[in-house]
Amino acid sequence: MKVGRNEPCPCGSGKKYKHCCLSKERTLLVRPSNNPENINSHAVSSNGGKTWHKVPGLLATIIGAKNSEDLDERVENNFSEILRLVNELRMDNLSKKLHDCKHKLYAVRYHLKTIEREIDKKVAEFKKEYSAGSGASFELENPVLIYETEAFLFQVKSNIDLLIQALSSAVPSLKSFITFKHSGDRATNDYVAGGKVIKELIKSGEHGLVHLFETHRTTWIQQMTLMRDTITHYSGLRDFHCFIEEPYRGGDQVKIHYPTMPSGKRVDTYCQETFNQLCDLCLNVLNRIRQHIQGA
């Protein structure tokens, strides 16, 4: 049963739960393998890092970092210059939006890499030991591929929404838009992903951005948004397929089809191409924001 923070601790100590065993449930005790010396000081510098000296006590902060394998050179390069600029100018609200965009772009990359690893894993299993079926094609539902692909689509759309919010710093008329707002009806041929945003950019005379978003919309955003909407408003991604194993037809081989999107394109190929397109869109939007800041 759940114990309230202010209730007596079930261990019988007589203390409140929050002052006793609650903290133990939130921590993990491990034994270091490198036998470190007891740390009771930290280094400080008073001249910008030229010289350092130790002072007693530990830092009351958490130092964050990423594993090198979790970093992506394109993502870092896309954001490094503009983040440096907005931080120098102390544009805190825009800095937060840009960090949100960067976070979402890494989220898209995460789902892409998870999908690729799952496909590689299943291919290795097929090649190592495969028992052929017979009579009909067979498709075993793969939750990793299904839900990671759906999450990929959501994160891509979310990233574009955040880009529009960041872009409002350069195009003030977009401040009322918190998403890449569509126009028309999804059930008819007049549906345009981002249609209302594009119309606003036309009114603002942002012809370069109009061309940019219209090109990306017709190339991949429209299709991506419609697929994402089927998940949002119905259930799963319709016409998505995991590995399909054809029936055994004799000989020493069985044909197995790679996972595919509703269009028939391989899932990993689609996700990699979409990630590349999204990185390109981000770079161009960030350049427009940077131009506005430098010209202001």
Side-chain angles (χ1 to χ4, degrees):
M1 293 179 63
K2 186 176 180 180
V3 182
R5 289 171 52 83
N6 293 311
E7 293 180 14
C9 188
C11 75
S13 65
K15 298 178 181 179
K16 290 184 178 180
Y17 180 53
K18 65 182 179 181
H19 295 312
C20 192
C21 290
L22 176 60
S23 61
K24 296 178 183 178
E25 295 180 1
R26 296 178 176 176
T27 58
L28 172 68
L29 296 177
V30 297
R31 188 180 299 278
S33 59
N34 57 344
N35 297 318
E37 296 182 5
N38 183 32
I39 302 173
N40 55 16
S41 64
H42 65 278
V44 298
S45 175
S46 58
N47 53 13
K50 295 179 180 179
T51 59
W52 296 82
H53 63 279
K54 287 186 177 182
V55 296
L58 302 179
L59 289 173
T61 186
I62 299 175
I63 300 174
K66 286 181 179 288
N67 287 322
S68 58
E69 61 267 24
D70 294 327
L71 293 173
D72 186 280
E73 185 175 357
R74 280 181 301 175
V75 176
E76 294 299 319
N77 289 341
N78 277 6
F79 284 89
S80 59
E81 179 60 25
I82 191 168
L83 282 173
R84 181 193 63 78
L85 181 61
V86 299
N87 288 334
E88 286 180 356
L89 297 175
R90 299 188 178 280
M91 303 175 72
D92 295 337
N93 288 335
L94 179 55
S95 177
K96 184 179 183 302
K97 288 296 180 187
L98 293 175
H99 278 290
D100 289 344
C101 289
K102 184 178 179 181
H103 172 81
K104 285 295 181 184
L105 194 54
Y106 265 115
V108 173
R109 179 184 180 273
Y110 170 84
H111 293 299
L112 164 63
K113 296 302 178 184
T114 303
I115 290 166
E116 290 177 338
R117 285 193 295 269
E118 181 65 15
I119 290 176
D120 289 344
K121 172 188 169 186
K122 297 305 295 183
V123 168
E125 290 176 2
F126 283 129
K127 290 182 176 180
K128 182 178 180 181
E129 185 176 356
Y130 177 66
S131 298
S134 62
S137 295
F138 178 72
E139 179 182 6
L140 180 64
E141 185 174 289
N142 186 312
V144 174
L145 290 177
I146 293 170
Y147 298 127
E148 288 291 341
T149 302
E150 293 181 355
F152 176 90
L153 296 172
F154 274 98
Q155 295 286 16
V156 171
K157 177 59 167 61
S158 180
N159 201 159
I160 299 174
D161 293 343
L162 286 168
L163 273 178
I164 297 303
Q165 295 177 33
L167 184 58
S168 68
S169 64
V171 186
S173 61
L174 293 180
K175 288 189 182 296
S176 62
F177 292 84
I178 60 174
T179 67
F180 193 52
K181 200 168 185 179
H182 72 269
S183 61
D185 190 337
R186 294 183 184 88
T188 62
N189 291 328
D190 65 344
Y191 173 77
V192 178
K196 292 185 178 179
V197 172
I198 293 172
K199 287 180 181 178
E200 195 60 43
L201 291 172
I202 294 173
K203 290 181 184 178
S204 300
E206 293 284 348
H207 302 298
L209 288 173
V210 171
H211 177 72
L212 174 69
F213 278 107
E214 187 60 25
T215 299
H216 279 272
R217 182 189 72 80
T218 55
T219 303
W220 64 277
I221 292 178
Q222 181 96 349
Q223 181 192 51
M224 178 277 301
T225 303
L226 288 170
M227 286 192 293
R228 176 259 189 190
D229 288 349
T230 64
I231 306 167
T232 303
H233 301 290
Y234 301 100
S235 56
L237 181 57
R238 293 177 173 178
D239 300 318
F240 174 90
H241 288 290
C242 301
F243 286 95
I244 297 179
E245 308 166 32
E246 289 193 4
Y248 178 63
R249 303 177 188 276
D252 60 354
Q253 292 182 327
V254 175
K255 185 179 290 184
I256 300 175
H257 298 269
Y258 277 93
T260 57
M261 300 296 290
S263 63
K265 180 172 287 189
R266 273 181 54 165
V267 171
D268 49 345
T269 301
Y270 170 83
C271 291
Q272 182 64 67
E273 291 176 352
T274 300
F275 177 69
N276 292 341
Q277 295 275 19
L278 182 59
C279 285
D280 178 71
L281 177 63
C282 283
L283 179 60
N284 282 279
V285 170
L286 296 178
N287 283 339
R288 176 64 186 90
I289 297 172
R290 179 175 53 79
Q291 291 168 4
H292 170 75
I293 294 172
Q294 292 175 329

